[in-house]
Amino acid sequence: MSFTDPLRSVPDFDAGDAEWLHLLVGDWQMVADLGVGDLLLCFPRGVVPGPQSPTGRPIPAEGGDFLVLAHARPTTGATAFQKDMVGEIVADDAAQALRRAWIDQRIEQAGASEWESLAPRSVLLVPLVRNGRTIAVLTLTTESHHDRLPSRMELVYRQSASDLLRMANEGTWPDFAVRIDSRRGAPRVGDGLIRLDTDGVVEFCSPNGLSTFRRLGLHGDITGQNLVRAARQLPLNAPGVDETLAPVLAGTMPWRAELSAVKASATLRAIPLRRGGERTGALILCRDVTELRRRDLQLVSKDATIREIHHRVKNNLQTVSALLRLQSRRMNSPEGRNGLQQAMRRVSSIARVHESLSHEISEDVDFDDLIRHQVQLAVETASAGQHVRTAVHGHFGRLPSKSATSVALVVNELVANAVEHGLKDRSGTVELSVRHLEDEVSDSGTTYVVLEIAIEDDGRGMGDTVIEESGVSAYRPPSEGEGLGMQIVRTLVASELRGVIRWQPREPQGTSVVITARFPQPHTGRG
């Protein structure tokens, strides 16, 4: 359930109000850190609709309570609440103070008698107003420090929090124009804070902010300098300041940008400050992301290396397959030629799996496209002049690379066996079908995907004999007439696929080979 559901239940409020509150809560950690206090988002449990209220706007019912919808704690100081306040009820005098702030639509300090339980803390009430309507009340609860003088950084932090809360009261912050950036390394208050005036000149720079710019190559202090001009003096990878970066450094647009110097990188985020529609300055959050970007580059390099390895393995296997094909053509013995062709087919099956892996970052394989080509290749290689049709039904989905290699080899052997023995000297059809059974969970908690794979032909059949093998029974000496291919199938099904294989007659004619295979749940991407 969304925390804005109580808001949506009031007809006077719309989806835009709820979305704005989502933006606020998504970004208000910055205010909690700057104000060094806890933030609570409060909404009345009873609202008098606009047409029925004396002000013509929705107001809390007289004597009603308020519900805490969201709670944020500061990372720059101690919390005022030892328990999570979400879902708690604010009643009595405190609720009346919230109601007064809601109606007056002005930021005010709660009286000591109204919040006796929080003494000696200070509680600031901030009604959130959009389009002339209060849609919630935000409270900032901070420790009172009357026994010491605050530092310059504390004063700037508190002033910055006050500016953002005033903009929230006016409905001008957060800004819907904020761009979403999915890259890692979003700057936070503790990473570095710079405050600019209306001309883009640095009024204050926190120690961490100054350290970030010095790592980028700045010499000296930046306080009193125009931040755009100071950035132009840095040894950046790209000359000058680009069009996206300049508005961020000037604090005119609520965007994120990145400064990349020769040996360091930093992310920047601008929050323009306004009063009554007029710009009064800006806050710039900055963060040194040099090590983050270095690790990102290592990951990209690692992914490229892994794909290149798979590509080279595929090329090497294709070379081996080509050599086997050439050698088979020089063989005078039909048995020797057939053995080399079977080896060539098996090597090609493994090569196709590595070819798929060379195109993706994931170690999982989209098996459906791969197996369709594999079935056709196995039929073409095994058929000796007869016309054999193929059909594939169902979807495998993504399989782990190790399992994909085993399945490809098993399908290759069974399809070739169906053509060579079931359809010997005749035309017919070989069908591959797959069906997903219910997942299984092992004692260790591993989830296994269970597939039922069937390879069927309409050939001469195997009589009424039914053979089912799994586990230890698969590791036996080959029976009469059984070749290397069936030994490979039995071994892979039992060991790699954790499954069961069953040979049985097919109606009205032919043979059906059904495999129940188990695979570890594949990953959807990098963990």
Side-chain angles (χ1 to χ4, degrees):
M1 183 177 70
S2 171
F3 75 88
T4 57
D5 282 351
L7 188 81
R8 297 176 189 271
S9 64
V10 180
D12 298 81
F13 301 134
D14 56 31
D17 297 324
E19 181 60 28
W20 187 78
L21 283 183
H22 276 289
L23 286 176
L24 175 71
V25 171
D27 216 12
W28 70 347
Q29 184 62 53
M30 173 172 52
V31 181
D33 291 341
L34 289 169
V36 195
D38 287 64
L39 294 175
L40 301 181
L41 185 67
C42 304
F43 190 79
R45 293 207 291 173
V47 177
V48 178
Q52 302 175 25
S53 71
T55 62
R57 299 187 299 264
I59 61 172
E62 180 70 36
D65 300 332
F66 277 71
L67 177 68
V68 178
L69 302 180
H71 179 193
R73 291 182 172 86
T75 61
T76 52
T79 179
F81 303 97
Q82 296 303 316
K83 67 175 182 178
D84 184 26
M85 295 297 292
V86 175
E88 295 293 319
I89 304 300
V90 180
D92 302 327
D93 291 341
Q96 291 307 305
L98 291 172
R99 183 175 186 272
R100 184 179 66 250
W102 179 294
I103 295 173
D104 294 344
Q105 296 187 341
R106 293 193 304 269
I107 298 176
E108 58 184 77
Q109 199 78 31
S113 61
E114 295 171 324
W115 245 277
E116 291 179 355
S117 61
L118 293 178
R121 298 183 177 92
S122 170
V123 181
L124 190 69
L125 308 178
V126 184
L128 305 176
V129 183
R130 290 191 77 238
N131 302 321
R133 297 167 298 123
T134 306
I135 61 174
V137 178
L138 186 149
T139 69
L140 173 64
T141 305
T142 58
E143 295 282 353
S144 297
H145 298 289
H146 299 298
D147 56 340
R148 63 178 178 83
L149 291 175
S151 66
R152 164 70 171 158
M153 187 165 71
E154 285 181 275
L155 291 173
V156 172
Y157 272 26
R158 292 179 187 178
Q159 181 60 49
S160 299
S162 177
D163 290 337
L164 292 174
L165 291 174
R166 176 179 43 76
M167 291 169 62
N169 171 246
E170 296 173 353
T172 57
W173 182 84
D175 195 333
F176 278 107
V178 174
R179 292 184 176 180
I180 302 300
D181 193 334
S182 61
R183 291 177 299 173
R184 296 193 302 160
R188 299 156 297 190
V189 170
D191 297 320
L193 175 72
I194 299 172
R195 187 176 175 106
L196 306 179
D197 64 13
T198 54
D199 297 321
V201 175
V202 178
E203 293 181 329
F204 170 82
C205 180
S206 70
N208 284 344
L210 183 59
S211 296
T212 296
F213 272 82
R214 283 185 174 173
R215 187 165 186 182
L216 288 169
L218 178 77
H219 299 289
D221 197 359
I222 59 174
T223 303
Q225 295 188 50
N226 182 283
L227 191 59
V228 176
R229 296 194 190 100
R232 288 199 178 103
Q233 300 171 13
L234 298 175
L236 303 180
N237 287 335
V241 179
D242 62 36
E243 294 180 357
T244 303
L245 185 58
V248 173
L249 291 168
T252 57
M253 296 301 295
W255 296 346
R256 273 182 61 183
E258 186 158 327
L259 270 174
S260 296
V262 177
K263 295 184 179 180
S265 296
T267 55
L268 306 172
R269 181 191 172 187
I271 303 99
L273 301 177
R274 295 183 177 87
R275 179 187 289 272
E278 295 293 326
R279 185 168 162 272
T280 60
L283 300 178
I284 307 293
L285 300 181
C286 56
R287 180 181 180 184
D288 183 351
V289 292
T290 305
E291 294 305 313
L292 272 179
R293 294 298 173 256
R294 186 179 66 85
R295 288 197 290 270
D296 288 343
L297 187 61
Q298 287 178 336
L299 286 175
V300 171
S301 177
K302 177 183 175 182
D303 292 335
T305 301
I306 291 173
R307 289 197 297 269
E308 179 63 20
I309 289 172
H310 284 303
H311 181 71
R312 294 188 182 187
V313 170
K314 182 264 296 185
N315 287 344
N316 290 339
L317 290 173
Q318 286 183 335
T319 300
V320 172
S321 180
L323 292 174
L324 291 172
R325 183 185 297 108
L326 290 173
Q327 187 65 38
S328 69
R329 293 173 180 173
R330 299 174 65 89
M331 294 291 293
N332 295 323
S333 167
E335 291 182 355
R337 185 184 305 111
N338 183 55
L340 290 175
Q341 289 176 345
Q342 290 180 356
M344 176 197 72
R345 189 175 64 240
R346 291 162 187 153
V347 171
S348 296
S349 299
I350 302 173
R352 282 192 171 274
V353 175
H354 284 281
E355 182 178 18
S356 295
L357 290 170
S358 69
H359 296 303
E360 301 187 33
I361 296 176
S362 172
E363 281 299 300
D364 305 327
V365 179
D366 188 352
F367 199 69
D368 292 299
D369 187 55
L370 182 149
I371 201 60
R372 281 177 170 80
H373 288 88
Q374 186 60 43
V375 169
Q376 191 62 40
L377 175 65
V379 167
E380 291 175 358
T381 306
S383 59
Q386 71 263 45
H387 177 65
V388 178
R389 296 178 298 277
T390 61
V392 178
H393 309 289
H395 299 281
F396 284 87
R398 301 190 70 84
L399 300 182
S401 58
K402 183 178 179 181
S403 301
T405 301
S406 301
V407 175
L409 284 170
V410 168
V411 170
N412 175 76
E413 296 299 333
L414 292 176
V415 170
N417 187 69
V419 175
E420 293 174 355
H421 300 286
L423 299 176
K424 186 176 183 180
D425 301 327
R426 69 171 73 184
S427 298
T429 302
V430 175
E431 296 185 38
L432 168 66
S433 59
V434 60
R435 186 164 64 97
H436 286 255
L437 305 181
E438 187 175 352
D439 291 354
E440 296 179 0
V441 180
S442 67
D443 295 337
S444 62
T446 303
T447 301
Y448 287 94
V449 177
V450 184
L451 298 184
E452 184 181 81
I453 305 166
I455 294 94
E456 300 177 311
D457 65 73
D458 55 1
R460 58 184 180 179
M462 56 179 288
D464 297 329
T465 306
V466 176
I467 303 173
E468 184 171 305
E469 294 179 314
S470 65
V472 178
S473 65
Y475 304 101
R476 58 169 175 75
S479 58
E480 184 179 352
E482 185 178 80
L484 176 61
M486 287 304 100
Q487 285 185 275
I488 292 174
V489 168
R490 287 192 288 103
T491 302
L492 289 177
V493 169
S495 61
E496 301 296 333
L497 304 182
R498 305 172 182 82
V500 179
I501 184 168
R502 178 184 177 90
W503 284 269
Q504 61 190 25
R506 181 197 185 196
E507 297 296 336
Q509 67 178 39
T511 302
S512 176
V513 184
V514 181
I515 301 165
T516 304
R518 294 167 177 81
F519 315 99
Q521 182 74 48
H523 300 289
T524 57
R526 183 176 301 284

